[in-house]
Amino acid sequence: MAKKRVADAPDGAPLAPSCVMIIFGAAGDLTKRLVVPALYNLVGAGRLPDEFRIVGLDLASKTTEEWRTGLTETMQGFVGSDAEFAVDHIDQNVWQWLTDRMSYLQGDLTNAEMYPPA
């Protein structure tokens, strides 16, 4: 029996399932230049469900708010640039939707204590 889709994106494509995305190396360059802009585009296209969440994990000592602020500054730097992700403006509603779902944890991904048994 086929599983029924819960919802479709505005363009008719299937909406991504609810999930939590964990980004290892969340304070790094790849996250800033490629991962977060791609997520921003998915939000703008209506492809992510309301239940979507992001947890950033990195060695860098930051709070969730500091991580969000740094990503916001990076995104604003793309406006009018010729970078991989170049835009003429950042849609504040889309960006707010995404940042509201972000959390940050400082930690070493190689440390088994970061992954306590459930």
Side-chain angles (χ1 to χ4, degrees), residues 29 33-34 37 78 81-86:
D29 187 58
R33 287 187 311 105
L34 300 174
F78 290 133
S81 76
D82 61 355
E84 295 96 339
F85 176 76

Side-chain angles (χ1 to χ4, degrees), residues 5-6 22-23 25 28-29 36 38-39 43 56 61 64-65 71 76 82 95-97 105 110 113 115-116:
R5 284 198 310 226
V6 175
I22 300 175
I23 302 174
D29 187 58
V36 171
L39 291 170
V43 174
S61 178
T64 295
E65 196 54 43
L71 292 173
Q76 290 169 342
D82 61 355
W95 185 242
Q96 187 68 49
W97 189 98
L105 295 173
T110 64
E113 292 178 14
Y115 314 98

Side-chain angles (χ1 to χ4, degrees), residues 16-108:
S18 300
C19 71
V20 175
M21 174 184 274
I22 300 175
I23 302 174
F24 296 97
D29 187 58
L30 181 65
T31 298
K32 294 175 188 174
R33 287 187 311 105
L34 300 174
V35 176
V36 171
L39 291 170
Y40 171 86
N41 284 339
L42 288 171
V43 174
R47 296 272 175 95
L48 298 178
D50 285 337
E51 300 82 11
F52 180 76
R53 299 293 182 266
I54 302 168
V55 176
L57 176 66
D58 200 283
L59 288 170
S61 178
K62 294 178 182 280
T63 65
T64 295
E65 196 54 43
E66 289 170 334
W67 185 51
R68 290 175 182 166
T69 299
L71 292 173
T72 298
E73 290 168 358
T74 299
M75 291 293 287
Q76 290 169 342
F78 290 133
V79 175
S81 76
D82 61 355
E84 295 96 339
F85 176 76
V87 293
D88 59 1
H89 75 285
I90 300 296
D91 182 322
Q92 292 305 310
N93 292 326
V94 169
W95 185 242
Q96 187 68 49
W97 189 98
L98 187 59
T99 58
D100 284 349
R101 287 159 176 79
M102 293 178 172
S103 299
Y104 182 87
L105 295 173
Q106 179 190 8
D108 181 351

